[in-house]
Amino acid sequence: MATTKKSTKKKQDTLRDIVVIGASAGGILALPEITKHLPANFPGSIFVVQHLGPYSESVLPQIINLNSALPAQFAKDGEKFLPGNIYVAPPDHHLILEKGTMVVSKGPKENRFRPSIDALFRSAAYVYGNRVVGVVLTGYLDDGTSGLWSVQRLGGVTVVQDPSDAAVPDMPANALQFVEADHVVPLAQLASLLTHLTTEEAPAPPKVPQDDLNRLEIEIAIARHDNAFEMGIIDKGELTAFTCPDCHGALTKLIEGNLIRFRCHTGHAYTISSLLAEVTESVESLLYQAMRGLEETKMLLENMGTYFTQTKQPDVAALFQQKAEETGQQARVVHDSIFVHEKLSGDLQFQKKKLR
């Protein structure tokens, strides 16, 4: 009897029963379309990150429950998870997996988002390795690419929605640029594929250098809200001259295969695409601040000019009015610069394809 139990546990521990799914723009429609076709006896646990604004109220579990045989709910910090259930990251919180339980935290944003797809995928890969099925769906930019790379590196299966089938193809296309996915399928085939994969026995886990595992452990701890600087994240990559657009901390460059990422010493994380998008957005904000400062200066100079006119000091008044006009011209230059300023990201290659 003991032998049978031992054998059963061993087999169970090697099934691909941990499914992590990441989606952004278009995901609210894509996710229910997948889950409504999953069978009631689905053997895996499903964990979902859907990008939303930090102040948005999510009703994704309710939407999924309208047509799903599997119950969906928001993940709760410290809660144990069960097979045949769908757990959704709450808005403005990371969802991190530990052995048998979930951590819901407000750690630093990754790729401008919390919850982060990469944070979920990374934690699943680190804890469950070859038992993980990672799925990247529709969305902008490239959250999920680094996490999917980690899933594959630690022996998990990688699945990407066919970009030509996605409402927004950028996120799947970015993932395929850096990860040779095991499966690239349209949305309509995902439910049957996941059902099949979760019944497969996983192969033996690959050997991964200890340094890579240590860095993964630190990054997962950061997402849980541990102190990135004290944990030595700066020493895990190459310190750069760039600064974090969120907190202006020093950025360290991290390399994963052909993928380049950045982390600041306070914990924020960026891919090249998300960093470029954030930097160009902050430039627009700075331009508006400059324009505001110049216009305030012009108003002050005009006010002083009016004062000196009223006190019958025409020469001084003329000087202030002249400076007010010059400052107004500078403000107009900055104003015009704002309207030609282009917000950029590493997805320029995809934007060019769309224009052809």
Side-chain angles (χ1 to χ4, degrees):
M1 189 63 142
T3 304
T4 304
K5 287 183 179 179
K6 184 177 180 181
S7 172
T8 302
K9 187 175 189 303
K10 183 177 180 182
K11 182 174 178 59
Q12 185 183 25
D13 283 350
T14 55
L15 290 179
R16 300 192 189 279
D17 55 353
I18 303 295
V19 180
V20 289
I21 303 177
S24 187
I28 294 294
L29 297 177
L31 287 161
E33 187 63 28
I34 297 169
T35 55
K36 76 178 183 181
H37 294 294
L38 295 174
N41 62 346
F42 187 81
S45 302
I46 301 175
F47 306 90
V48 175
V49 164
Q50 165 66 50
H51 285 169
L52 288 171
Y55 305 109
S56 300
E57 182 179 350
S58 173
V59 292
L60 182 56
Q62 293 94 310
I63 295 173
I64 291 174
N65 284 329
L66 290 174
N67 295 295
S68 174
L70 306 180
Q73 57 265 299
F74 284 119
K76 296 179 181 177
D77 188 45
E79 183 180 39
K80 293 183 178 180
F81 58 82
L82 299 171
N85 280 257
I86 301 169
Y87 300 96
V88 178
D92 202 32
H93 288 77
H94 291 311
L95 171 56
I96 307 297
L97 298 190
E98 293 188 341
K99 198 69 174 176
T101 62
M102 297 173 287
V103 174
V104 175
S105 76
K106 294 201 72 170
K109 292 180 181 179
E110 293 202 26
N111 301 319
R112 312 167 78 201
F113 280 102
R114 186 174 52 226
S116 161
I117 300 169
D118 283 338
L120 170 62
F121 282 24
R122 216 176 276 129
S123 67
Y126 181 77
V127 178
Y128 293 102
N130 58 343
R131 292 171 57 184
V132 178
V133 179
V135 185
V136 171
L137 300 179
T138 172
Y140 288 109
L141 295 180
D142 56 0
D143 191 21
T145 297
S146 170
L148 197 69
W149 185 87
S150 293
V151 167
Q152 188 170 72
R153 183 152 171 73
L154 274 74
V157 174
T158 53
V159 181
V160 177
Q161 182 181 4
D162 187 338
S164 66
D165 176 69
V168 180
D170 302 30
M171 209 160 80
N174 269 311
L176 291 174
Q177 185 180 2
F178 295 99
V179 179
E180 191 173 341
D182 299 301
H183 303 274
V184 181
V185 295
L187 193 67
Q189 296 179 19
L190 271 167
S192 60
L193 175 62
L194 293 178
T195 303
H196 171 71
L197 289 175
T198 50
T199 62
E200 285 187 342
E201 189 169 351
K207 292 183 178 180
V208 179
Q210 190 59 44
D211 283 349
D212 289 354
L213 293 175
N214 290 343
R215 179 183 52 76
L216 262 179
E217 184 178 15
I218 289 175
E219 294 205 83
I220 294 165
I222 290 170
R224 286 197 303 257
H225 212 178
D226 286 354
N227 190 297
F229 181 73
E230 290 180 357
M231 296 192 71
I233 190 63
I234 286 180
D235 299 327
K236 295 302 177 181
E238 176 188 337
L239 192 60
T240 72
F242 309 127
T243 57
C244 173
D246 195 325
C247 69
H248 307 295
L251 284 176
T252 293
K253 181 167 69 176
L254 306 172
I255 305 294
E256 293 176 334
N258 294 322
L259 179 65
I260 298 175
R261 296 192 298 117
F262 299 89
R263 263 205 191 269
C264 76
H265 72 269
T266 67
H268 300 111
Y270 302 91
T271 60
I272 289 177
S273 286
S274 61
L275 180 61
L276 189 55
E278 187 79 359
V279 167
T280 56
E281 189 170 306
S282 68
V283 168
E284 179 179 320
S285 176
L286 290 171
L287 287 171
Y288 270 111
Q289 291 179 47
M291 185 177 75
R292 173 192 56 77
L294 288 168
E295 288 177 340
E296 286 182 359
T297 302
K298 178 186 176 184
M299 287 189 291
L300 179 59
L301 289 167
E302 287 177 337
N303 185 275
M304 295 301 296
T306 300
Y307 169 78
F308 287 117
T309 298
Q310 292 172 346
T311 57
K312 303 189 184 308
Q313 301 178 63
D315 292 342
V316 178
L319 177 61
F320 275 87
Q321 292 295 347
Q322 177 188 343
K323 292 300 181 184
E325 178 58 31
E326 291 174 358
T327 304
Q329 291 174 1
Q330 291 178 319
R332 283 190 290 274
V333 170
V334 176
H335 173 272
D336 293 343
S337 297
I338 292 172
F339 284 89
V340 298
H341 174 68
E342 184 180 4
K343 291 184 181 180
L344 304 172
S345 78
D347 287 345
L348 283 173
Q349 56 187 318
F350 303 125
Q351 293 174 23
K352 288 178 181 176
K353 290 177 183 176
K354 292 173 187 175
L355 293 173
R356 287 173 186 167

